[in-house]
Amino acid sequence: MNNYPKDISVVIPLYNEEESLPELELWLREVMLKNKYSYELIFVDDGSTDNSWEVISKLALQNANIHAIKFNRNYGKSAGLNVGFKAAVGEVVITMDADLQDSPDEIPALYKMIVEEKYHLVSGWKKKRYDPLSKTIPTKLYNAAARAMSGIKLNDFNCGLKAYQNRVIKSVDVYGEMHRYIPVIAKWNGFNKIGEKVVEHRARKYGVTKFGFERFIYGPLDLLSISFVSKFKKRPMHFFGFMGVLSFLFGFACTMYLIADKLYHIYLSKSSYRDVVDNTWFYLALVAIILGVQLFLAGFIGEMMIQHSDKKNDYLVSEEIGA
């Protein structure tokens, strides 16, 4: 891990944080200089509607270590992290929020855990939080669900302050609200040495939170999506084909039963017997067979798409500084 041009890349996604940016940049610069790190600050402006980009542009004139990317519109935190990860060239990659609730003073300890203790990923744990109950209670529930599903013993999956080996962040593709579950993605990519460090959580100094109620809905859905995709994205036939075969066999078995039952009653009565189409099981069998064939075809098409897939992100970047 010593062939990188920088010691640290700090990736900072932001949206409408013009008040906090000068203080954050100064604080980060002081920490880096004090510890003699070579570094870069990657600010990803997620389509801010205030003066955040103008503030970053002025800061870049004073600090040549700033690399800034501005989206043409708001895509969300995951998009900001994804683009920042692709741009990062540091041996250790630190992620943090721009609202000054994450302390840059935690960086040296996180850096040491990655470089000296050889962790693949270290997640911050905001043990003492300054958030309302409407935020902390759902967060605890999601953390419990993520621990149960992933087997990763982290207390705070959602903490924005994390540290990674560079090769870890280059292996993940973050979208939707997946930034909450990067440790889960990393583990499923084979990076199993995941640590946790208690970090300071500071009360918000400027502005208001940018996250609404909808994240409590999207978060669990994304956890289910990660679980499904991680298991079947390279072998969709294993899921769709298996379900399709079960459905088809069920329908086929019902059909055989109906035919046998009709032949039996014909044999017994010789004249009166019930038509197959008058039996509810006929329609159930028909639906099961059709559904089975469709699921099998979905798996087959999925396999073909995997073989010819060419992944690309469609985030529209309007401006860039220090590329």
Side-chain angles (χ1 to χ4, degrees):
M1 288 176 59
N2 56 3
N3 296 320
Y4 295 95
K6 304 285 185 182
D7 292 328
I8 296 177
S9 293
V10 184
V11 177
I12 309 166
L14 63 105
Y15 180 70
N16 292 347
E17 298 287 358
E18 60 179 337
E19 302 96 340
S20 62
L21 289 172
E23 188 173 335
L24 177 62
E25 186 275 334
L26 177 61
W27 194 354
L28 283 164
R29 180 154 37 100
E30 289 175 346
V31 169
M32 299 301 174
L33 292 175
K34 179 181 178 181
N35 292 275
K36 298 180 180 179
Y37 295 135
S38 59
Y39 72 99
E40 63 175 350
L41 307 180
I42 304 176
F43 291 99
V44 184
D45 185 343
D46 190 21
S48 294
T49 56
D50 65 356
N51 294 317
S52 293
W53 185 252
E54 289 73 15
V55 172
I56 293 172
S57 299
K58 291 178 182 178
L59 293 173
L61 296 176
Q62 306 167 16
N63 188 346
N65 296 299
I66 288 179
H67 179 184
I69 301 166
K70 178 177 173 61
F71 287 158
N72 202 51
R73 68 169 179 85
N74 181 255
Y75 289 103
K77 185 174 182 178
S78 290
L81 287 174
N82 199 52
V83 170
F85 286 165
K86 285 178 169 51
V89 298
E91 176 183 6
V92 175
V93 179
I94 306 287
T95 61
M96 63 189 311
D97 295 332
D99 55 13
L100 294 174
Q101 291 191 273
D102 295 330
S103 171
D105 289 334
E106 305 284 357
I107 290 177
L110 292 171
Y111 177 82
K112 181 179 179 181
M113 292 180 73
I114 296 292
V115 174
E116 297 183 12
E117 300 179 42
K118 305 301 181 183
Y119 281 98
H120 293 136
L121 182 162
V122 179
S123 180
W125 174 18
K126 296 175 181 177
K127 196 170 184 178
K128 181 179 180 181
R129 302 185 68 98
Y130 292 92
D131 292 324
L133 289 176
S134 60
K135 183 176 179 181
T136 56
I137 292 177
T139 296
K140 287 181 180 296
L141 294 175
Y142 294 157
N143 284 330
R147 282 195 298 271
M149 188 169 290
S150 67
I152 303 174
K153 305 304 180 184
L154 292 180
N155 290 282
D156 191 357
F157 282 82
N158 196 37
C159 180
L161 185 58
K162 290 183 172 67
Y164 309 84
Q165 289 184 9
N166 188 288
R167 65 194 183 109
V168 174
I169 58 99
K170 297 300 184 184
S171 74
V172 301
D173 188 28
V174 192
Y175 57 92
E177 297 292 317
M178 300 295 191
H179 62 273
R180 307 176 193 283
Y181 306 114
I182 293 178
V184 181
I185 302 173
K187 180 186 177 183
W188 281 329
N189 282 344
F191 299 104
N192 297 310
K193 192 169 183 181
I194 298 174
E196 186 171 54
K197 180 185 181 300
V198 175
V199 297
E200 178 186 8
H201 183 223
R202 298 163 58 85
R204 175 176 275 275
K205 189 174 181 179
Y206 304 105
V208 295
T209 181
K210 309 303 187 299
F211 300 101
F213 178 78
E214 66 276 2
R215 72 196 183 104
F216 298 135
I217 300 174
Y218 299 152
L221 294 177
D222 280 328
L223 181 57
L224 292 174
S225 176
I226 289 174
S227 301
F228 178 82
V229 171
S230 67
K231 293 179 181 178
F232 300 110
K233 68 178 179 180
K234 295 299 184 184
R235 44 193 175 97
M237 181 60 84
H238 286 202
F239 177 78
F240 292 104
F242 177 72
M243 298 300 292
V245 168
L246 285 182
S247 181
F248 182 87
L249 289 177
F250 174 77
F252 183 77
C254 289
T255 302
M256 291 297 99
Y257 167 77
L258 290 172
I259 293 173
D261 183 68
K262 181 176 180 179
L263 292 174
Y264 176 72
H265 282 87
I266 290 175
Y267 174 76
L268 287 180
S269 62
K270 305 296 184 182
S271 56
S272 62
Y273 50 86
R274 184 181 183 186
D275 287 337
V276 171
V277 293
D278 291 336
N279 194 319
T280 305
W281 281 96
F282 169 77
Y283 298 99
L284 184 61
L286 184 63
V287 170
I289 290 174
I290 294 173
L291 185 61
V293 172
Q294 289 179 330
L295 284 170
F296 186 87
L297 289 175
F300 180 72
I301 293 171
E303 291 285 344
M304 293 178 63
M305 292 176 65
I306 288 295
Q307 297 300 321
H308 298 89
S309 66
D310 182 19
K311 291 199 316 183
K312 116 177 177 163
N313 291 317
D314 56 357
Y315 307 130
L316 183 60
V317 175
S318 61
E319 296 183 60
E320 190 165 1
I321 299 171

